[in-house]
PDB file of all heavy atoms in Angstrom:
ATOM      1  N   PRO A  23      51.560 -85.339 219.856  1.00 94.00           N
ATOM      2  CA  PRO A  23      52.926 -85.419 220.387  1.00 94.00           C
ATOM      3  C   PRO A  23      53.939 -86.003 219.393  1.00 94.00           C
ATOM      4  O   PRO A  23      55.130 -85.776 219.514  1.00 94.00           O
ATOM      5  CB  PRO A  23      52.791 -86.328 221.613  1.00 94.00           C
ATOM      6  CG  PRO A  23      51.547 -87.107 221.378  1.00 94.00           C
ATOM      7  CD  PRO A  23      50.652 -86.261 220.526  1.00 94.00           C
ATOM      8  N   VAL A  24      53.456 -86.742 218.401  1.00 92.00           N
ATOM      9  CA  VAL A  24      54.336 -87.396 217.428  1.00 92.00           C
ATOM     10  C   VAL A  24      53.951 -86.923 216.028  1.00 92.00           C
ATOM     11  O   VAL A  24      52.763 -86.859 215.694  1.00 92.00           O
ATOM     12  CB  VAL A  24      54.183 -88.939 217.528  1.00 92.00           C
ATOM     13  CG1 VAL A  24      55.078 -89.650 216.535  1.00 92.00           C
ATOM     14  CG2 VAL A  24      54.452 -89.416 218.942  1.00 92.00           C
ATOM     15  N   ILE A  25      54.952 -86.627 215.201  1.00 91.00           N
ATOM     16  CA  ILE A  25      54.668 -86.072 213.868  1.00 91.00           C
ATOM     17  C   ILE A  25      53.860 -87.038 213.004  1.00 91.00           C
ATOM     18  O   ILE A  25      53.006 -86.632 212.224  1.00 91.00           O
ATOM     19  CB  ILE A  25      55.953 -85.592 213.168  1.00 91.00           C
ATOM     20  CG1 ILE A  25      55.566 -84.672 212.005  1.00 91.00           C
ATOM     21  CG2 ILE A  25      56.816 -86.751 212.727  1.00 91.00           C
ATOM     22  CD1 ILE A  25      56.600 -83.681 211.603  1.00 91.00           C
ATOM     23  N   MET A  26      54.105 -88.353 213.172  1.00 89.00           N
ATOM     24  CA  MET A  26      53.339 -89.345 212.418  1.00 89.00           C
ATOM     25  C   MET A  26      51.851 -89.263 212.758  1.00 89.00           C
ATOM     26  O   MET A  26      50.995 -89.432 211.888  1.00 89.00           O
ATOM     27  CB  MET A  26      53.840 -90.746 212.763  1.00 89.00           C
ATOM     28  CG  MET A  26      54.363 -91.513 211.586  1.00 89.00           C
ATOM     29  SD  MET A  26      55.194 -93.008 212.132  1.00 89.00           S
ATOM     30  CE  MET A  26      53.805 -94.076 212.415  1.00 89.00           C
ATOM     31  N   GLU A  27      51.549 -89.008 214.018  1.00 92.00           N
ATOM     32  CA  GLU A  27      50.155 -88.894 214.451  1.00 92.00           C
ATOM     33  C   GLU A  27      49.515 -87.622 213.891  1.00 92.00           C
ATOM     34  O   GLU A  27      48.338 -87.622 213.541  1.00 92.00           O
ATOM     35  CB  GLU A  27      50.052 -88.903 215.978  1.00 92.00           C
ATOM     36  CG  GLU A  27      50.349 -90.258 216.590  1.00 92.00           C
ATOM     37  CD  GLU A  27      49.384 -91.332 216.117  1.00 92.00           C
ATOM     38  OE1 GLU A  27      48.166 -91.101 216.088  1.00 92.00           O
ATOM     39  OE2 GLU A  27      49.862 -92.429 215.757  1.00 92.00           O
ATOM     40  N   LEU A  28      50.292 -86.554 213.807  1.00 92.00           N
ATOM     41  CA  LEU A  28      49.785 -85.312 213.217  1.00 92.00           C
ATOM     42  C   LEU A  28      49.396 -85.572 211.762  1.00 92.00           C
ATOM     43  O   LEU A  28      48.318 -85.203 211.314  1.00 92.00           O
ATOM     44  CB  LEU A  28      50.843 -84.206 213.303  1.00 92.00           C
ATOM     45  CG  LEU A  28      50.423 -82.875 212.692  1.00 92.00           C
ATOM     46  CD1 LEU A  28      49.325 -82.211 213.511  1.00 92.00           C
ATOM     47  CD2 LEU A  28      51.620 -81.949 212.590  1.00 92.00           C
ATOM     48  N   TRP A  29      50.276 -86.234 211.036  1.00 91.00           N
ATOM     49  CA  TRP A  29      50.011 -86.576 209.640  1.00 91.00           C
ATOM     50  C   TRP A  29      48.745 -87.431 209.539  1.00 91.00           C
ATOM     51  O   TRP A  29      47.886 -87.189 208.691  1.00 91.00           O
ATOM     52  CB  TRP A  29      51.224 -87.315 209.069  1.00 91.00           C
ATOM     53  CG  TRP A  29      50.935 -88.066 207.825  1.00 91.00           C
ATOM     54  CD1 TRP A  29      50.748 -87.552 206.584  1.00 91.00           C
ATOM     55  CD2 TRP A  29      50.762 -89.473 207.706  1.00 91.00           C
ATOM     56  NE1 TRP A  29      50.471 -88.559 205.691  1.00 91.00           N
ATOM     57  CE2 TRP A  29      50.485 -89.750 206.363  1.00 91.00           C
ATOM     58  CE3 TRP A  29      50.829 -90.527 208.609  1.00 91.00           C
ATOM     59  CZ2 TRP A  29      50.273 -91.031 205.893  1.00 91.00           C
ATOM     60  CZ3 TRP A  29      50.614 -91.813 208.141  1.00 91.00           C
ATOM     61  CH2 TRP A  29      50.334 -92.039 206.790  1.00 91.00           C
ATOM     62  N   SER A  30      48.617 -88.393 210.452  1.00 91.00           N
ATOM     63  CA  SER A  30      47.461 -89.283 210.456  1.00 91.00           C
ATOM     64  C   SER A  30      46.155 -88.501 210.676  1.00 91.00           C
ATOM     65  O   SER A  30      45.156 -88.733 209.993  1.00 91.00           O
ATOM     66  CB  SER A  30      47.661 -90.331 211.551  1.00 91.00           C
ATOM     67  OG  SER A  30      46.627 -91.262 211.534  1.00 91.00           O
ATOM     68  N   ARG A  31      46.155 -87.563 211.621  1.00 93.00           N
ATOM     69  CA  ARG A  31      44.959 -86.734 211.885  1.00 93.00           C
ATOM     70  C   ARG A  31      44.615 -85.887 210.664  1.00 93.00           C
ATOM     71  O   ARG A  31      43.443 -85.728 210.330  1.00 93.00           O
ATOM     72  CB  ARG A  31      45.151 -85.798 213.072  1.00 93.00           C
ATOM     73  CG  ARG A  31      45.279 -86.346 214.426  1.00 93.00           C
ATOM     74  CD  ARG A  31      44.152 -87.230 214.897  1.00 93.00           C
ATOM     75  NE  ARG A  31      44.712 -88.273 215.717  1.00 93.00           N
ATOM     76  CZ  ARG A  31      45.021 -89.507 215.318  1.00 93.00           C
ATOM     77  NH1 ARG A  31      44.778 -89.902 214.107  1.00 93.00           N
ATOM     78  NH2 ARG A  31      45.559 -90.382 216.132  1.00 93.00           N
ATOM     79  N   LEU A  32      45.613 -85.317 210.027  1.00 93.00           N
ATOM     80  CA  LEU A  32      45.362 -84.494 208.828  1.00 93.00           C
ATOM     81  C   LEU A  32      44.727 -85.347 207.727  1.00 93.00           C
ATOM     82  O   LEU A  32      43.789 -84.918 207.058  1.00 93.00           O
ATOM     83  CB  LEU A  32      46.664 -83.858 208.325  1.00 93.00           C
ATOM     84  CG  LEU A  32      47.230 -82.740 209.204  1.00 93.00           C
ATOM     85  CD1 LEU A  32      48.677 -82.445 208.826  1.00 93.00           C
ATOM     86  CD2 LEU A  32      46.387 -81.482 209.111  1.00 93.00           C
ATOM     87  N   ALA A  33      45.216 -86.562 207.557  1.00 91.00           N
ATOM     88  CA  ALA A  33      44.676 -87.462 206.531  1.00 91.00           C
ATOM     89  C   ALA A  33      43.242 -87.874 206.874  1.00 91.00           C
ATOM     90  O   ALA A  33      42.363 -87.870 206.007  1.00 91.00           O
ATOM     91  CB  ALA A  33      45.571 -88.691 206.382  1.00 91.00           C
ATOM     92  N   GLU A  34      43.000 -88.214 208.146  1.00 93.00           N
ATOM     93  CA  GLU A  34      41.658 -88.620 208.577  1.00 93.00           C
ATOM     94  C   GLU A  34      40.612 -87.556 208.277  1.00 93.00           C
ATOM     95  O   GLU A  34      39.486 -87.862 207.938  1.00 93.00           O
ATOM     96  CB  GLU A  34      41.640 -88.852 210.100  1.00 93.00           C
ATOM     97  CG  GLU A  34      42.138 -90.169 210.548  1.00 93.00           C
ATOM     98  CD  GLU A  34      42.220 -90.251 212.072  1.00 93.00           C
ATOM     99  OE1 GLU A  34      41.740 -89.332 212.773  1.00 93.00           O
ATOM    100  OE2 GLU A  34      42.783 -91.250 212.557  1.00 93.00           O
ATOM    101  N   ARG A  35      40.991 -86.317 208.435  1.00 92.00           N
ATOM    102  CA  ARG A  35      40.041 -85.216 208.266  1.00 92.00           C
ATOM    103  C   ARG A  35      39.977 -84.676 206.840  1.00 92.00           C
ATOM    104  O   ARG A  35      39.305 -83.693 206.577  1.00 92.00           O
ATOM    105  CB  ARG A  35      40.389 -84.090 209.242  1.00 92.00           C
ATOM    106  CG  ARG A  35      40.233 -84.558 210.676  1.00 92.00           C
ATOM    107  CD  ARG A  35      40.623 -83.530 211.672  1.00 92.00           C
ATOM    108  NE  ARG A  35      40.596 -84.122 213.004  1.00 92.00           N
ATOM    109  CZ  ARG A  35      40.855 -83.463 214.097  1.00 92.00           C
ATOM    110  NH1 ARG A  35      41.156 -82.183 214.041  1.00 92.00           N
ATOM    111  NH2 ARG A  35      40.820 -84.052 215.264  1.00 92.00           N
ATOM    112  N   GLY A  36      40.706 -85.323 205.927  1.00 91.00           N
ATOM    113  CA  GLY A  36      40.637 -84.928 204.522  1.00 91.00           C
ATOM    114  C   GLY A  36      41.509 -83.732 204.167  1.00 91.00           C
ATOM    115  O   GLY A  36      41.400 -83.192 203.072  1.00 91.00           O
ATOM    116  N   TYR A  37      42.396 -83.333 205.081  1.00 92.00           N
ATOM    117  CA  TYR A  37      43.280 -82.202 204.799  1.00 92.00           C
ATOM    118  C   TYR A  37      44.521 -82.645 204.039  1.00 92.00           C
ATOM    119  O   TYR A  37      45.245 -81.845 203.483  1.00 92.00           O
ATOM    120  CB  TYR A  37      43.725 -81.507 206.094  1.00 92.00           C
ATOM    121  CG  TYR A  37      42.589 -80.930 206.889  1.00 92.00           C
ATOM    122  CD1 TYR A  37      42.479 -81.162 208.253  1.00 92.00           C
ATOM    123  CD2 TYR A  37      41.613 -80.137 206.283  1.00 92.00           C
ATOM    124  CE1 TYR A  37      41.437 -80.627 208.993  1.00 92.00           C
ATOM    125  CE2 TYR A  37      40.571 -79.615 207.020  1.00 92.00           C
ATOM    126  CZ  TYR A  37      40.484 -79.854 208.371  1.00 92.00           C
ATOM    127  OH  TYR A  37      39.456 -79.328 209.094  1.00 92.00           O
ATOM    128  N   TRP A  38      44.786 -83.933 204.045  1.00 90.00           N
ATOM    129  CA  TRP A  38      45.969 -84.481 203.388  1.00 90.00           C
ATOM    130  C   TRP A  38      45.519 -85.610 202.491  1.00 90.00           C
ATOM    131  O   TRP A  38      44.652 -86.402 202.853  1.00 90.00           O
ATOM    132  CB  TRP A  38      46.948 -85.018 204.431  1.00 90.00           C
ATOM    133  CG  TRP A  38      48.273 -85.417 203.877  1.00 90.00           C
ATOM    134  CD1 TRP A  38      49.372 -84.613 203.757  1.00 90.00           C
ATOM    135  CD2 TRP A  38      48.657 -86.688 203.358  1.00 90.00           C
ATOM    136  NE1 TRP A  38      50.402 -85.313 203.191  1.00 90.00           N
ATOM    137  CE2 TRP A  38      49.985 -86.592 202.936  1.00 90.00           C
ATOM    138  CE3 TRP A  38      47.992 -87.900 203.196  1.00 90.00           C
ATOM    139  CZ2 TRP A  38      50.684 -87.649 202.376  1.00 90.00           C
ATOM    140  CZ3 TRP A  38      48.671 -88.958 202.628  1.00 90.00           C
ATOM    141  CH2 TRP A  38      50.008 -88.837 202.231  1.00 90.00           C
ATOM    142  N   LYS A  39      46.088 -85.673 201.304  1.00 85.00           N
ATOM    143  CA  LYS A  39      45.811 -86.816 200.435  1.00 85.00           C
ATOM    144  C   LYS A  39      47.109 -87.236 199.770  1.00 85.00           C
ATOM    145  O   LYS A  39      48.036 -86.433 199.642  1.00 85.00           O
ATOM    146  CB  LYS A  39      44.742 -86.478 199.393  1.00 85.00           C
ATOM    147  CG  LYS A  39      45.122 -85.392 198.414  1.00 85.00           C
ATOM    148  CD  LYS A  39      43.986 -85.130 197.460  1.00 85.00           C
ATOM    149  CE  LYS A  39      44.431 -84.159 196.383  1.00 85.00           C
ATOM    150  NZ  LYS A  39      43.441 -83.964 195.368  1.00 85.00           N
ATOM    151  N   GLN A  40      47.162 -88.474 199.353  1.00 75.00           N
ATOM    152  CA  GLN A  40      48.376 -89.012 198.744  1.00 75.00           C
ATOM    153  C   GLN A  40      48.756 -88.188 197.523  1.00 75.00           C
ATOM    154  O   GLN A  40      47.959 -88.047 196.603  1.00 75.00           O
ATOM    155  CB  GLN A  40      48.124 -90.465 198.335  1.00 75.00           C
ATOM    156  CG  GLN A  40      49.325 -91.155 197.760  1.00 75.00           C
ATOM    157  CD  GLN A  40      50.367 -91.489 198.798  1.00 75.00           C
ATOM    158  OE1 GLN A  40      50.044 -91.840 199.919  1.00 75.00           O
ATOM    159  NE2 GLN A  40      51.610 -91.370 198.442  1.00 75.00           N
ATOM    160  N   PRO A  41      49.949 -87.604 197.503  1.00 70.00           N
ATOM    161  CA  PRO A  41      50.352 -86.843 196.315  1.00 70.00           C
ATOM    162  C   PRO A  41      50.585 -87.765 195.121  1.00 70.00           C
ATOM    163  O   PRO A  41      50.640 -88.984 195.279  1.00 70.00           O
ATOM    164  CB  PRO A  41      51.657 -86.157 196.745  1.00 70.00           C
ATOM    165  CG  PRO A  41      52.063 -86.752 198.036  1.00 70.00           C
ATOM    166  CD  PRO A  41      50.935 -87.592 198.556  1.00 70.00           C
ATOM    167  N   ASP A  42      50.709 -87.184 193.940  1.00 66.00           N
ATOM    168  CA  ASP A  42      50.927 -87.976 192.729  1.00 66.00           C
ATOM    169  C   ASP A  42      52.180 -88.841 192.837  1.00 66.00           C
ATOM    170  O   ASP A  42      52.211 -89.962 192.378  1.00 66.00           O
ATOM    171  CB  ASP A  42      51.026 -87.069 191.501  1.00 66.00           C
ATOM    172  CG  ASP A  42      49.689 -86.421 191.183  1.00 66.00           C
ATOM    173  OD1 ASP A  42      48.640 -86.959 191.614  1.00 66.00           O
ATOM    174  OD2 ASP A  42      49.683 -85.367 190.517  1.00 66.00           O
ATOM    175  N   ASN A  43      53.238 -88.269 193.423  1.00 61.00           N
ATOM    176  CA  ASN A  43      54.438 -89.078 193.632  1.00 61.00           C
ATOM    177  C   ASN A  43      54.358 -89.680 195.041  1.00 61.00           C
ATOM    178  O   ASN A  43      54.367 -88.964 196.022  1.00 61.00           O
ATOM    179  CB  ASN A  43      55.710 -88.241 193.462  1.00 61.00           C
ATOM    180  CG  ASN A  43      55.652 -86.938 194.233  1.00 61.00           C
ATOM    181  OD1 ASN A  43      54.582 -86.519 194.666  1.00 61.00           O
ATOM    182  ND2 ASN A  43      56.780 -86.309 194.413  1.00 61.00           N
ATOM    183  N   PRO A  44      54.225 -91.017 195.129  1.00 60.00           N
ATOM    184  CA  PRO A  44      53.970 -91.665 196.416  1.00 60.00           C
ATOM    185  C   PRO A  44      55.067 -91.404 197.445  1.00 60.00           C
ATOM    186  O   PRO A  44      56.201 -91.107 197.108  1.00 60.00           O
ATOM    187  CB  PRO A  44      53.885 -93.145 196.079  1.00 60.00           C
ATOM    188  CG  PRO A  44      54.050 -93.268 194.633  1.00 60.00           C
ATOM    189  CD  PRO A  44      54.326 -91.938 194.038  1.00 60.00           C
ATOM    190  N   ILE A  45      54.671 -91.588 198.682  1.00 58.00           N
ATOM    191  CA  ILE A  45      55.572 -91.343 199.810  1.00 58.00           C
ATOM    192  C   ILE A  45      56.672 -92.389 199.889  1.00 58.00           C
ATOM    193  O   ILE A  45      56.436 -93.561 199.647  1.00 58.00           O
ATOM    194  CB  ILE A  45      54.750 -91.388 201.107  1.00 58.00           C
ATOM    195  CG1 ILE A  45      53.946 -90.128 201.215  1.00 58.00           C
ATOM    196  CG2 ILE A  45      55.625 -91.575 202.305  1.00 58.00           C
ATOM    197  CD1 ILE A  45      53.368 -89.929 202.567  1.00 58.00           C
ATOM    198  N   CYS A  46      57.852 -91.934 200.257  1.00 63.00           N
ATOM    199  CA  CYS A  46      58.962 -92.844 200.538  1.00 63.00           C
ATOM    200  C   CYS A  46      59.004 -93.009 202.057  1.00 63.00           C
ATOM    201  O   CYS A  46      58.205 -92.435 202.763  1.00 63.00           O
ATOM    202  CB  CYS A  46      60.274 -92.233 200.076  1.00 63.00           C
ATOM    203  SG  CYS A  46      60.169 -91.437 198.479  1.00 63.00           S
ATOM    204  N   ASP A  47      59.955 -93.744 202.543  1.00 67.00           N
ATOM    205  CA  ASP A  47      60.104 -93.868 204.000  1.00 67.00           C
ATOM    206  C   ASP A  47      60.632 -92.563 204.551  1.00 67.00           C
ATOM    207  O   ASP A  47      61.603 -92.017 204.040  1.00 67.00           O
ATOM    208  CB  ASP A  47      61.074 -95.005 204.339  1.00 67.00           C
ATOM    209  CG  ASP A  47      60.485 -96.361 204.020  1.00 67.00           C
ATOM    210  OD1 ASP A  47      59.247 -96.478 204.057  1.00 67.00           O
ATOM    211  OD2 ASP A  47      61.258 -97.285 203.731  1.00 67.00           O
ATOM    212  N   MET A  48      59.980 -92.073 205.596  1.00 74.00           N
ATOM    213  CA  MET A  48      60.430 -90.838 206.223  1.00 74.00           C
ATOM    214  C   MET A  48      61.127 -91.182 207.532  1.00 74.00           C
ATOM    215  O   MET A  48      60.545 -91.851 208.374  1.00 74.00           O
ATOM    216  CB  MET A  48      59.250 -89.901 206.506  1.00 74.00           C
ATOM    217  CG  MET A  48      58.825 -89.085 205.324  1.00 74.00           C
ATOM    218  SD  MET A  48      57.703 -89.929 204.236  1.00 74.00           S
ATOM    219  CE  MET A  48      56.305 -90.185 205.236  1.00 74.00           C
ATOM    220  N   ASP A  49      62.373 -90.747 207.655  1.00 80.00           N
ATOM    221  CA  ASP A  49      63.138 -91.034 208.864  1.00 80.00           C
ATOM    222  C   ASP A  49      63.277 -89.812 209.751  1.00 80.00           C
ATOM    223  O   ASP A  49      63.283 -89.912 210.958  1.00 80.00           O
ATOM    224  CB  ASP A  49      64.542 -91.545 208.505  1.00 80.00           C
ATOM    225  CG  ASP A  49      64.490 -92.870 207.763  1.00 80.00           C
ATOM    226  OD1 ASP A  49      63.614 -93.691 208.081  1.00 80.00           O
ATOM    227  OD2 ASP A  49      65.320 -93.059 206.852  1.00 80.00           O
TER     228      ASP A  49
END
């Protein structure tokens, strides 16, 4: 239901990894 949670699930399952240029604050 929340985009942050979607991102979290993708990361947990290894579909997402920290890019070379680190994340900034997303509003």
